[in-house]
Amino acid sequence: MTICPQYCDSVATDSDTSCVSDGRFSMNIVSGWFEGAPLKPKPVQEPYPQVFQGGNSQAARQMAARQADVLFINGGSLEKIQTVLDDVKEYADEFGTEPPRFAANAFVIQRETEQEAKGKLEGIIENATEEAVEAFKEQVTEVG
């Protein structure tokens, strides 16, 4: 659920927004509006809960530029990550909004020594099938 109090009095009017007001939320979904549904636990942050959004797609980048406080993106090369960041900042400029902060997923292999960690990574790579690696890459790059 995307929560966008900056567009909210008590009910959101924009088809891309949702609203939290007095512990209730309103949200536009494909089949229609939820209006005044109970929201528990109630928001405690002022002025509103931070909105975290995930995804790398262009639609996710646009929505994050319009509505998110933090965009959580899938990992990738530094160049791919920079492209996502640049796109979101450009969309934010177009929408006249503040760009969100960014977070990226990562995988950590922790061992007692760096050598042990590198050995574990090498073992993972050696035992990974090309099919499994490609399937995993597709899953993490196409999400959102």
Side-chain angles (χ1 to χ4, degrees):
M1 170 181 66
T2 304
I3 302 170
C4 294
Q6 63 265 37
Y7 298 107
C8 174
D9 285 325
S10 61
V11 175
T13 57
D14 185 302
S15 64
D16 290 331
T17 63
S18 300
C19 169
V20 172
S21 178
D22 300 324
R24 296 191 171 273
F25 77 93
S26 298
M27 172 171 109
N28 186 333
I29 60 171
V30 174
S31 61
W33 277 91
F34 281 116
E35 292 189 42
L39 180 62
K40 292 184 180 182
K42 291 181 172 39
V44 296
Q45 291 175 300
E46 289 295 331
Y48 57 89
Q50 289 191 354
V51 175
F52 285 72
Q53 178 186 320
N56 285 20
S57 69
Q58 287 300 320
R61 296 173 199 191
Q62 289 177 353
M63 190 164 78
R66 240 185 325 210
Q67 300 177 337
D69 294 304
V70 179
L71 175 60
F72 189 79
I73 61 174
N74 297 308
S77 68
L78 292 177
E79 293 79 19
K80 286 183 181 180
I81 291 172
Q82 189 62 56
T83 299
V84 174
L85 274 66
D86 292 343
D87 283 354
V88 173
K89 289 176 183 175
E90 284 182 32
Y91 287 130
D93 285 345
E94 289 176 25
F95 299 135
T97 58
E98 192 67 32
R101 295 184 316 271
F102 297 93
N105 74 2
F107 299 92
V108 175
I109 299 173
Q110 182 177 343
R111 296 295 184 268
E112 289 295 320
T113 67
E114 183 176 349
Q115 183 179 3
E116 288 176 301
K118 286 182 178 180
K120 180 64 176 177
L121 175 60
E122 288 170 10
I124 291 169
I125 292 169
E126 286 173 13
N127 293 305
T129 65
E130 192 170 317
E131 181 181 296
V133 170
E134 288 304 314
F136 181 75
K137 278 167 100 176
E138 187 174 315
Q139 281 184 326
V140 298
T141 57
E142 299 301 321
V143 173

